[in-house]
Amino acid sequence: MNSITTTRKAIQSGETTAKEVTENCFNLISQEPFNAFHEMWNDEKQAYLEGPLSGITVGVKDNIVTKVGTTTCGSKMLDGYRSPFNATVIDRLIASGATLVGKTNCDEFAMGSSTEHCAWGAVQNPWSTDRVPGGSSGGSAAAVAAGLCHVALGSDTGGSIRQPAALCGIVGYKPTYGLVSRYGLVAFASSLDQIGVFSRCVRDAAITTEVIAGFDPNDATSVEEEAPCLVESLDDSIAGIKIGVTRDFLTDRNDPEVNQAIEDAIKVYEQLGATIVDVSLPLTDVGVSTYYVIAPAEASSNLARYDGIRYGHRTDKVGLDLFDLYSHSRAEGFGDEVKRRILLGTYVLSSGYYDAYYNNALKVRRLISEEYASAFEQCDVILGPTTPTPAFKIGAKSNPISMYLCDVYTANTNIAGICGISIPCGFAKNDGKPLPIGMHLQGPAFSDAKLLQIAHAFEQATDFHNQHPEPIS
Ligand code: GLN
């Protein structure tokens, strides 16, 4: 799969056409063995609008609403659900000429780190099909890694773009909260949710985000600003840029190959003229517990709408009173992980426990934001691993807590509402089947252009992003 820039040039020079490019993708998607896609939308009558993304193929995570096809959030609860409207990001992609190729599988309601909690089956990692692609946007990550589409949309509430990007060896970018409209993203935890992009290079993430970002009156948390210029400054030198490194990220909880890849990445930045500064983020360790109070609390409220009447699956059982209709419909429609989150969220919000859990989590949230703010007084971005380990085997993390710990380096980015990106920075050996390792860069809110510039500089100096799993045909 070529980059957006290369594909656009080939179309503009007449070497190929938008139709030919997209048909090639549909051909690959129809044969893909990874369960990356839930639906493919090959429309014979597709109009190829002229625009910056004309001929560019985009996979859409199954929790972003589209008028075409269904939006199921990987849940039986929404099996067959058709949205009457498009998410704002979808309208903007269509207006820019992009071809939406289909819906990608995800963990149910975006809850998970492996895309095993999907009602339509687990997704496989294209680098090693006995391993997970990460989650919850694992279908989007697998699709881009396997070259089935140029870019894909995901959502990131605690790491669901950056973690699967790391495990699949691609770029995953979570913009600053408020930069990209969430209108039409099915809500999980509204104060943390953010739409972002998977791509094979930083430039493609920048190009696509320029299209989808910018103020949207339909999203009350969208910032009243023009879409940022992200592409323009990509090639600027990073000499003198300050990169914060913290020992709180390079502990023995990580796989040694992950720590080595990050140490090597730091050297690359030094050679590029960046200054490495030591920063301290001791609250890294409480991020997961804070996240797993706030996110389930918001989820328990957001998911109350799936009652079998207003939305969602309705039980076939007859003669039930209203309460039993709700409870049977919800018991049948939701999977185990979603039920666990609803129970947890209802518990931490219940009277008697609210102060002990939810209110305290909000206080810690403030402390985490302040900790980042003081770290960013010393540096432009903070560098570390995206995940403690490379992709794990399907079925390996049946204990929910071990799954939750996958978010240790990513959840705090959402808690503070700042921007973060994962880019490929190495491989773990794994008996001749290399497994990608991701580097995580986090920047202050609305420093997205600089974050991408710093990520792009690393990419230009290294070759990791040019390595791909074996093609499917
Ligand atoms: N793994 C995290 C969770 O299960 C993050 C999910 C996400 O970012 N959507 O909640």
Side-chain angles (χ1 to χ4, degrees):
M1 175 62 68
N2 287 321
S3 67
I4 293 181
T5 313
T6 309
T7 304
R8 291 291 305 139
K9 276 196 192 132
I11 293 172
Q12 274 156 349
S13 71
E15 205 179 300
T16 185
T17 61
K19 191 170 164 55
E20 196 172 79
V21 174
T22 55
E23 274 174 3
N24 183 33
C25 285
F26 286 124
N27 182 28
L28 293 173
I29 296 168
S30 59
Q31 305 169 46
E32 63 105 352
F34 313 114
N35 195 31
F37 279 87
H38 179 52
E39 275 181 4
M40 182 178 96
W41 305 323
N42 190 356
D43 176 5
E44 292 287 302
K45 293 191 230 93
Q46 162 96 30
Y48 293 97
L49 294 182
E50 219 17 76
L53 295 184
S54 170
I56 301 306
T57 50
V58 185
V60 180
K61 185 176 181 181
D62 198 12
N63 64 349
I64 298 172
V65 301
T66 47
K67 281 198 274 195
V68 52
T70 65
T71 302
T72 77
C73 296
S75 181
K76 279 196 215 132
M77 184 54 97
L78 287 176
D79 191 7
Y81 173 72
R82 288 181 178 275
S83 168
F85 70 102
N86 279 333
T88 299
V89 292
I90 298 295
D91 279 335
R92 290 183 181 176
L93 284 169
I94 293 171
S96 76
T99 303
L100 306 174
V101 291
K103 278 281 166 72
T104 58
N105 277 319
C106 59
D107 281 306
E108 189 176 0
F109 286 99
M111 298 174 188
S113 304
S114 67
T115 321
E116 292 168 290
H117 304 300
C118 173
W120 324 124
V123 177
Q124 297 168 354
N125 190 316
W127 290 88
S128 183
T129 51
D130 58 344
R131 293 185 184 253
V132 304
S136 63
S137 320
S140 287
V144 171
L148 308 178
C149 47
H150 289 91
V151 292
L153 296 181
S155 67
D156 190 312
T157 304
S160 280
I161 293 176
R162 291 159 291 153
Q163 186 257 13
L167 270 42
C168 288
I170 57 172
V171 173
Y173 163 44
K174 184 204 93 72
T176 297
Y177 186 78
L179 208 62
V180 174
S181 167
R182 291 183 297 110
Y183 182 65
L185 169 65
V186 177
F188 163 10
S190 316
S191 77
L192 305 163
D193 294 340
Q194 183 61 68
I195 293 177
V197 175
F198 290 95
S199 60
R200 281 186 160 194
C201 62
V202 174
R203 185 178 298 278
D204 284 2
I207 294 171
T208 312
T209 308
E210 279 191 1
V211 167
I212 61 174
F215 177 60
D216 174 15
N218 286 328
D219 173 359
T221 57
S222 154
V223 290
E224 287 196 47
E225 305 251 339
E226 294 280 296
C229 292
L230 301 172
V231 178
E232 198 176 77
S233 51
L234 281 181
D235 290 306
D236 292 358
S237 159
I238 62 155
I241 290 262
K242 290 194 187 124
I243 299 198
V245 173
T246 164
R247 294 293 130 193
D248 299 309
F249 288 168
L250 289 169
T251 65
D252 56 12
R253 76 155 78 82
N254 300 342
D255 186 301
E257 287 180 293
V258 169
N259 284 342
Q260 188 58 51
I262 298 301
E263 300 284 3
D264 294 346
I266 294 169
K267 291 197 195 103
V268 171
Y269 275 118
E270 278 173 334
Q271 280 157 11
L272 290 170
T275 308
I276 307 298
V277 293
D278 271 332
V279 296
S280 172
L281 292 170
L283 293 176
T284 301
D285 282 340
V286 298
V288 168
S289 30
T290 309
Y291 173 86
Y292 279 95
V293 173
I294 296 172
E298 295 185 19
S300 70
S301 166
N302 277 325
L303 270 60
R305 73 190 60 165
Y306 306 103
D307 56 10
I309 292 177
R310 288 173 297 175
Y311 284 98
H313 166 82
R314 183 182 298 185
T315 183
D316 287 338
K317 293 198 169 58
V318 290
L320 300 176
D321 66 19
L322 186 63
F323 186 81
D324 282 344
L325 179 78
Y326 289 158
S327 72
H328 280 282
S329 300
R330 286 166 69 82
E332 290 167 17
F334 289 135
D336 287 349
E337 184 57 31
V338 173
K339 286 178 186 158
R340 190 176 295 121
R341 306 281 179 112
I342 292 172
L343 287 173
L344 199 59
T346 311
Y347 179 77
V348 300
L349 290 177
S350 57
S351 72
Y353 295 100
Y354 186 96
D355 282 331
Y357 294 105
Y358 186 66
N359 244 351
N360 268 341
L362 293 186
K363 289 180 190 162
V364 180
R365 181 175 199 169
R366 164 62 69 91
L367 295 177
I368 290 170
S369 293
E370 287 172 0
E371 186 171 277
Y372 273 118
S374 65
F376 286 131
E377 279 170 15
Q378 300 159 43
C379 61
D380 297 291
V381 292
I382 297 166
L383 182 161
T386 310
T387 58
T389 66
F392 47 92
K393 289 233 164 93
I394 292 175
K397 291 194 196 284
S398 49
N399 172 347
I401 307 275
S402 71
M403 190 74 85
Y404 298 170
L405 288 170
C406 295
D407 305 325
V408 58
Y409 301 125
T410 50
N412 280 355
T413 323
N414 304 68
I415 288 175
I418 60 177
C419 53
I421 189 168
S422 179
I423 59 172
C425 75
F427 290 90
K429 288 191 195 63
N430 184 40
D431 292 336
K433 279 214 158 181
L435 295 174
I437 295 172
M439 168 171 74
H440 190 207
L441 296 170
Q442 300 173 84
F446 306 109
S447 71
D448 296 62
K450 194 179 263 180
L451 179 82
L452 295 180
Q453 178 201 341
I454 295 170
H456 182 254
F458 180 86
E459 197 180 75
Q460 292 304 294
T462 55
D463 196 40
F464 305 110
H465 67 293
N466 289 324
Q467 300 184 39
H468 305 299
E470 274 174 33
I472 60 171
S473 67

